[in-house]
């Protein structure tokens, strides 16, 4: 640096001496390259740049060791039944069995014949009990029992329930005719049946229903004297119904003591004898 300064001062003096008073110029010649400077301190980290494109897939690694068997899962739903498979081959013939004892067929036939005879007698006895002793009438699905104990309508209904049945409900013409003939054969003129008036509705009109709360619908055999219709309002003191031996219905006061007919369903579990036994009680 000192050499450069001296050269500059010399050139300035020389120019002042030799130059004319009008013009003076200076020319600077670059010096030699200096020595390399010291390295500066490391700067702070710059901002993180964007992710570059993914590299190529690496070589697959070696397969790992086989893991242990996991716990059993829940059982899945049962699948549909498959088609029937083909018939298999016949198995080998079995060993021949020992000869059986000689059968005394005549003796067994005689025993079976005696059992059939006893069974027929038992059927006749059961029929006698139902028709004569109990006086039952029956259809395909029900028994009917005439109870010769005069009771009020409510008491008669309760009596049938205690026997395991209900007041008989003539819902068809055939059943109504069977019950009417039942009354005639017993030498009676009228009995209670399971028909009564229900409470009046919001429109102020009452109607008659069966003991199981079902409506009369299309079937009803009112006598001409009563002149009752399904839309008529039954009187409170004659809100029960009696069946005459002629097959017609009449309204009657519920406090009137009358005989009555109970009905019992033929249950598979109890059998035919079970209903008859209940009717006896």
């Amino acid at each position: 640096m000192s050499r450069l300064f001296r050269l500059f001062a010399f050139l300035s003096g020389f120019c002042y001496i030799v130059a004319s008073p009008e013009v003076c110029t200076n020319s600077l010649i670059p010096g030699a390259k200096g020595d390399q400077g010291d390295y500066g301190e490391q700067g702070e980290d710059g901002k993180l740049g964007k992710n570059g494109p993914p590299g190529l897939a690496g070589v697959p690694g070696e397969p790992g060791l086989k893991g242990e068997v996991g716990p059993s899962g829940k059982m899945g739903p049962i699948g549909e039944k498959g088609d029937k498979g083909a018939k298999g081959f016949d198995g080998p013939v079995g060993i021949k069995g020992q000869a059986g004892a000689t059968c005394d067929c005549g003796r067994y036939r005689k025993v079976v014949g005696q059992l059939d005879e006893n069974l027929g007698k038992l059927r006749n006895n059961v029929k006698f009990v139902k028709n004569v002793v109990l006086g039952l009438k029956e259809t395909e699905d029900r028994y009917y029992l005439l109870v010769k104990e005069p009771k009020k309508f409510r008491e008669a209904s309760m009596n049938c329930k205690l026997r395991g049945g209900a007041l008989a409900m003539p819902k068809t013409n055939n059943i109504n005719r069977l019950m009417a003939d039942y009354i005639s054969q017993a030498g009676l003129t009228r009995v209670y049946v399971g028909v009564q008036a229900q409470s009046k509705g919001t429109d102020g009109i009452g109607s008659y229903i069966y003991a199981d709360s079902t409506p009369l619908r299309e079937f009803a055999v009112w006598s001409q004297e009563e002149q009752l219709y399904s839309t008529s309002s039954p009187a409170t003191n004659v809100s029960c119904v009696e069946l005459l031996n002629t097959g017609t219905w009449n309204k009657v006061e519920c406090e009137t003591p009358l005989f009555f007919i109970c009905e019992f369903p033929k249950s598979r579990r109890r059998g035919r004898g079970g209903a008859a036994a209940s009717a006896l009680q």
Side-chain angles (χ1 to χ4, degrees):
M1 292 297 290
S2 61
R3 290 179 181 179
L4 182 61
F5 180 75
R6 292 194 199 107
L7 180 60
F8 179 73
F10 172 77
L11 291 176
S12 298
F14 179 78
C15 180
Y16 178 75
I17 294 173
V18 298
S20 64
E22 290 83 4
V23 180
C24 184
T25 59
N26 295 329
S27 297
L28 297 178
I29 300 174
K33 185 177 180 180
D35 298 333
Q36 184 176 354
D38 298 333
Y39 289 100
E41 296 180 357
Q42 184 177 356
E44 297 179 356
D45 294 338
K47 295 182 179 179
L48 185 64
K50 296 182 179 179
N51 293 333
L56 299 175
V59 180
E62 296 181 359
L65 299 176
K66 186 176 180 180
E68 297 179 357
V69 179
S72 300
K74 294 182 179 179
M75 181 180 293
I78 299 175
E80 298 181 356
K81 186 176 181 181
D83 298 332
K84 185 177 180 180
K87 184 179 180 181
F89 297 104
D90 294 336
V93 179
I95 301 174
K96 185 176 181 180
Q98 297 179 356
T102 304
C103 174
D104 189 1
C105 299
R107 179 183 177 186
Y108 287 115
R109 289 195 188 97
K110 184 177 180 180
V111 173
V112 173
Q114 186 64 39
L115 289 175
D116 290 338
E117 183 179 351
N118 293 339
L119 184 59
K121 291 181 180 179
L122 182 60
R123 289 197 184 99
N124 293 333
N125 291 336
V126 171
K127 186 176 181 180
F128 175 81
V129 170
K130 289 192 300 182
N131 298 334
V132 180
V133 179
L134 296 180
L136 290 176
K137 299 294 181 181
E138 64 178 309
T139 60
E140 292 183 0
D141 57 350
R142 293 185 184 277
Y143 291 108
Y144 295 90
L145 173 65
L146 175 60
V147 181
K148 298 180 180 180
E149 299 176 13
K151 293 183 181 295
K152 300 176 182 179
F153 182 85
R154 186 173 182 179
E155 295 173 347
S157 178
M158 184 60 65
N159 187 279
C160 289
K161 289 181 180 179
L162 292 176
R163 293 171 183 265
L167 270 176
M169 292 170 279
K171 293 186 176 182
T172 65
N173 185 58
N174 290 338
I175 296 177
N176 191 79
R177 187 70 263 165
L178 180 145
M179 294 169 62
D181 293 341
Y182 197 2
I183 298 171
S184 297
Q185 294 171 6
L188 304 176
T189 58
R190 58 177 185 163
V191 296
Y192 273 131
V193 290
V195 181
Q196 62 180 338
Q198 66 175 351
S199 302
K200 294 181 180 180
T202 56
D203 54 359
I205 298 178
S207 59
Y208 281 84
I209 58 175
Y210 288 109
D212 59 1
S213 300
T214 57
L216 297 184
R217 297 181 180 175
E218 298 179 357
F219 181 77
V221 198
W222 300 108
S223 64
Q224 295 180 356
E225 291 81 2
E226 294 296 345
Q227 296 181 355
L228 291 176
Y229 301 93
S230 59
T231 57
S232 64
S233 179
T236 56
N237 61 336
V238 286
S239 58
C240 295
V241 175
E242 63 180 3
L243 172 65
L244 305 181
N245 56 4
T246 58
T248 57
W249 300 356
N250 272 344
K251 59 184 180 181
V252 64
E253 294 183 6
C254 297
E255 298 298 315
T256 303
L258 291 176
F259 295 159
F260 53 95
I261 297 179
C262 298
E263 68 175 39
F264 308 91
K266 291 182 178 179
S267 172
R268 292 181 178 180
R269 182 174 58 184
R270 292 174 57 186
R272 295 173 180 259
S278 298
L280 276 173
Q281 297 176 356

